[in-house]
Amino acid sequence: MATLPKIQQQAIIKLQKSVQYYKIPSISAPLDLNIILQSILEETALNLTFHNRKQTIQVSDLLYRHGIWFCNIYNFESKNWATYRCDQMKNCSPNYTQTTLTHTQMQEIQDDYEKNYHNIPFECSLTPLGVELFQKNNHPNMKLKQVDRQYYLYGGYNQEEFDYMIQYLLSLGNNVKINYPQALKNSYLNELQKIINQY
């Protein structure tokens, strides 16, 4: 900035004072974030404990979402792709003996996972505010489309994600209406009833 003319420096300072950007601070600090990042860069495996189970994994990437660090992983024992919360990964240590995958191979596994894992289709109608809320917080298994003047949230989820789907849709308030499947609609209504019963 010191190389800019004085007028431009003053304009930048004025802009910095006039624009405020708010972000969510980290809710939990993963202890092994440096080890996780290093394993990504070096394409090495990690030994760790996740939900009280010892595992050997390879981390594809890191994601910071709403104050929480996540990572996409490949589990060598189960041969499954998954997303883990980094603050729930304990005792991380590099495993240099495990044969690992390249970034390209990891991407192919993730693409296959995204195509096949979310096997229960869903669709919801959204209000304009619902569209804005979706744009601020969405996931790879969710898409947005407009037909005439109506917006729709659609995609797929896995049965293992069912409870999360309910909580996500509840976060949209009265800006969402579930069109299908019926099981999702029923559980959503049950959760709404629990909220009403609190009063």
Side-chain angles (χ1 to χ4, degrees), residues 1-197:
M1 187 150 133
T3 60
L4 294 174
K6 193 86 164 158
I7 290 178
Q8 287 182 337
Q9 288 180 22
Q10 290 170 343
I12 290 171
I13 291 168
K14 186 176 181 182
L15 279 172
Q16 288 175 332
K17 289 180 179 177
S18 304
V19 176
Q20 301 295 320
Y21 176 75
Y22 294 95
K23 65 181 179 85
I24 297 172
S26 183
I27 294 170
S28 62
L31 300 174
D32 297 321
L33 203 54
N34 286 339
I35 295 170
I36 296 167
L37 181 58
Q38 195 65 36
S39 76
I40 296 169
L41 297 175
E42 295 177 354
E43 293 183 0
T44 56
L46 289 175
N47 291 331
L48 56 84
T49 304
F50 186 73
H51 292 182
N52 298 319
R53 281 187 26 243
K54 291 188 177 185
Q55 305 178 28
T56 301
I57 66 165
Q58 184 174 348
V59 181
S60 172
D61 55 10
L62 284 169
L63 166 70
Y64 183 76
R65 185 183 201 100
H66 301 292
I68 299 170
W69 285 98
F70 295 91
C71 61
N72 288 310
I73 67 98
Y74 179 75
N75 186 308
F76 288 103
E77 283 86 21
S78 66
K79 308 276 190 257
N80 287 332
W81 187 265
T83 302
Y84 284 6
R85 277 183 60 151
C86 294
D87 59 347
Q88 296 173 357
M89 297 165 61
K90 309 294 181 202
N91 307 316
C92 292
S93 63
N95 179 332
Y96 296 110
T97 60
Q98 173 68 50
T99 303
T100 56
L101 305 165
T102 65
H103 285 294
T104 303
Q105 290 171 317
M106 295 278 280
Q107 187 61 55
E108 289 170 359
I109 293 169
Q110 183 176 13
D111 291 345
D112 183 62
Y113 166 84
E114 294 295 344
K115 248 191 292 186
N116 298 308
Y117 183 73
H118 301 113
N119 57 356
I120 303 171
F122 73 91
E123 181 190 87
C124 304
S125 302
L126 295 178
T127 66
L129 179 55
V131 171
E132 184 178 325
L133 294 171
F134 167 79
Q135 290 170 334
K136 291 177 183 175
N137 180 23
N138 60 72
H139 299 278
N141 63 312
M142 301 175 179
K143 306 268 187 281
L144 185 66
K145 68 180 176 183
Q146 182 180 6
V147 178
D148 298 324
R149 293 175 179 235
Q150 179 61 56
Y151 287 95
Y152 297 95
L153 167 63
Y154 71 100
Y157 63 90
N158 188 277
Q159 190 59 39
E160 292 179 1
E161 303 168 314
F162 188 77
D163 292 338
Y164 181 81
M165 279 296 297
I166 299 296
Q167 294 306 313
Y168 176 83
L169 294 171
L170 285 170
S171 74
L172 300 177
N174 64 350
N175 298 292
V176 64
K177 178 182 175 248
I178 300 169
N179 299 329
Y180 64 82
Q182 190 64 41
L184 189 64
K185 192 184 297 188
N186 292 344
S187 290
Y188 178 82
L189 291 172
N190 287 340
E191 287 300 312
L192 287 177
Q193 190 60 53
K194 287 178 191 175
I195 293 169
I196 291 167
N197 291 343

